[in-house]
Amino acid sequence: MRARIISIILPVILIVGASVATAAPAQAATGDAATVFAQTNAQRVKAGLKPLISDPILDQAAGEWARVMANSCTFSHSSSTWRASRVAKAGWSATGENIAAGYATGAVVSAWMASPGHRANILNAKYTGVGIGHAKGTCYSSYWVQIFGLTKTAAPAGVADVSGDLNADVVAVDSNGQLLAYRGAGNGRWAGSSVVGSGWTASDKLVTLGDFTGDSVNDVGRLRADGTFDLLAGTGRGGFVAPATIGRGWTGYRLVTGGVDYDGDRRPDVLAVTTAGALMLHRGNGAGGWAGSAVKVGSGWGGMTAVFYAGDFNGDTRGDVMARRSDGTLWLYPTSGASSWGPSKRVGTGWSGLTAVFSPGDFDGTGKPDVMARKTDGTLLLYRGNGAGGWGTTSVLGAGWNAFSGIG
């Protein structure tokens, strides 16, 4: 099925005089691409199928291939290996692809639907997500790419990809109040660092938020000592925009973590532990704000010394939360994807001596979420997840990390 889907090529229509001087950036998930996404789902709904979800990783891959064709004046499918290298780490598999060139925005989906192979992709009930890529080129006026995905796992943990290279990164606040991005190389190593913000204080708490604004780029939050919650939206180009206040009155929370989709609406939420030990859910609205008032989703969390979102750590396609108890045990709290919890599980002991514990997502490029921890001497460790709620090997990532007041 995969080979048959990949081998089908939509007939090319050359539109005379509709060329541009150079290839323009793809418009994945916005503008004309968003129109094609909506038209694609309209065809699925018409056929009695569930609509496909929009995903930034699929969008990025589709956009990249559209640019490849536009820049090279070629018209051919990407390979399954090429697609897997870009989307597997985000939990997508069995990718199919539709391509087209020379079609106007309002005509390309109709053309695909008129072709049996491309229609089969669009109406494949097994697919759950699609990315749309669009680029302008000199040989054909428009290049279109659809990349379909199966079995999307939960959103990745941590700050995810800050630099735009699809590898998991880490951000940290130093003693000078600077926010630094440490770029992951995709293989469990570092690829460099850069300053991406300033104006932080030692009392500010760093909160990774996932794609809180709904623009396919991950964001971070800054929780100030006076209870102000600031949003720093990611640019997707290695940095963040200026902080914008999205909340006040957060002084009553001991621990805060973001990025988890607790209620299954595909919008990242924030979980916070009160001084009394209640676990409160602040639902994100998918556009950089909140959906309703906070609700209590747990109790007895007063003994926790760390809480963080770990992505799909146990391999059930839903997001998980990890928490360290005061006795040094580490626990996994799976979400059900429908505003409830699965059975908790102890996944470690002896974690009390670590001064920071968080998940960077899939840092080593295996497709499985990992966990990082800082020792009292500043050594940063990588604990590789095995994708089934347990652990692989552990390695040292560097020294001197005790200079940072916040890491995520």
Side-chain angles (χ1 to χ4, degrees):
M1 174 63 73
R2 184 179 301 171
R4 179 176 66 83
I5 292 172
I6 294 172
S7 66
I8 295 173
I9 300 177
L10 193 67
V12 181
I13 297 178
L14 177 62
I15 301 178
V16 180
S19 63
V20 295
T22 58
Q27 299 173 345
T30 60
D32 292 339
T35 300
V36 170
F37 173 75
Q39 292 174 344
T40 300
N41 270 338
Q43 294 293 337
R44 287 179 64 90
V45 172
K46 182 180 178 180
L49 300 173
K50 291 183 179 179
L52 299 167
I53 66 170
S54 178
D55 182 84
I57 298 300
L58 291 177
D59 283 331
Q60 289 173 21
E64 184 178 353
W65 191 248
R67 292 192 296 273
V68 168
M69 291 193 293
N71 286 324
S72 60
C73 281
T74 57
F75 184 70
S76 62
H77 282 281
S78 66
S79 69
S80 58
T81 301
W82 185 93
R83 294 193 299 276
S85 70
R86 285 154 175 79
V87 306
K89 287 189 283 187
W92 292 104
S93 62
T95 55
E97 182 181 85
N98 286 344
I99 63 174
Y103 286 96
T105 304
V108 65
V109 173
S110 296
W112 278 329
M113 290 297 293
S115 168
H118 299 83
R119 177 187 176 91
N121 267 349
I122 292 173
L123 300 184
N124 188 332
K126 292 183 178 180
Y127 285 135
T128 55
V130 65
I132 309 295
H134 179 218
K136 297 287 187 179
T138 57
C139 292
Y140 302 102
S141 60
S142 293
Y143 288 82
W144 295 97
V145 177
Q146 288 179 313
I147 293 182
F148 301 87
L150 174 68
T151 314
K152 175 67 171 70
T153 63
V159 75
D161 175 25
V162 174
S163 59
D165 62 1
L166 302 183
N167 294 321
D169 304 318
V170 172
V171 291
V173 181
D174 69 10
S175 57
N176 295 318
Q178 298 182 125
L179 183 67
L180 291 90
Y182 285 81
R183 299 187 302 277
N187 58 3
R189 297 182 177 86
W190 301 108
S193 63
S194 60
V195 176
V196 294
S198 60
W200 290 65
T201 70
S203 60
D204 291 339
K205 294 180 180 178
L206 175 67
V207 183
T208 53
L209 295 174
D211 179 18
F212 196 72
T213 57
D215 62 355
S216 301
V217 179
N218 276 25
D219 314 304
V220 300
R222 178 174 62 185
L223 188 56
R224 294 179 175 269
D226 64 359
T228 301
F229 199 125
D230 293 335
L231 168 68
L232 287 78
T235 64
R237 302 181 300 276
F240 301 90
V241 302
T245 299
I246 58 172
R248 301 185 187 279
W250 287 67
T251 53
Y253 292 126
R254 296 177 46 249
L255 303 168
V256 179
T257 187
V260 58
D261 176 21
Y262 181 77
D263 53 10
D265 65 355
R266 308 297 302 183
R267 300 168 179 172
D269 306 313
V270 173
L271 294 169
V273 179
T274 69
T275 54
L279 183 65
M280 305 298 294
L281 170 69
H282 293 260
R283 289 186 172 89
N285 65 6
W290 309 104
S293 302
V295 295
K296 183 178 177 181
V297 294
S299 57
W301 288 67
M304 305 299 183
T305 59
V307 175
F308 59 94
Y309 174 54
D312 178 21
F313 192 77
N314 62 4
D316 66 355
T317 76
R318 296 182 290 271
D320 306 312
V321 173
M322 281 190 176
R324 180 181 61 185
R325 298 183 180 180
S326 56
D327 62 359
T329 56
L330 190 66
W331 290 76
L332 182 71
Y333 293 85
T335 68
S336 68
S339 298
S340 62
W341 299 100
S344 60
K345 172 188 175 182
R346 191 177 71 179
V347 293
T349 59
W351 289 68
S352 57
L354 301 169
T355 59
V357 185
F358 63 98
S359 174
D362 174 25
F363 190 74
D364 61 359
T366 63
K368 304 164 186 176
D370 307 309
V371 171
M372 289 185 182
R374 181 181 61 188
K375 299 172 67 175
T376 54
D377 64 0
T379 301
L380 189 66
L381 303 172
L382 176 67
Y383 292 83
R384 294 175 174 85
N386 65 6
W391 305 101
T393 59
T394 304
S395 60
V396 176
L397 291 175
W401 285 77
N402 48 8
F404 299 112
S405 59
I407 316 173

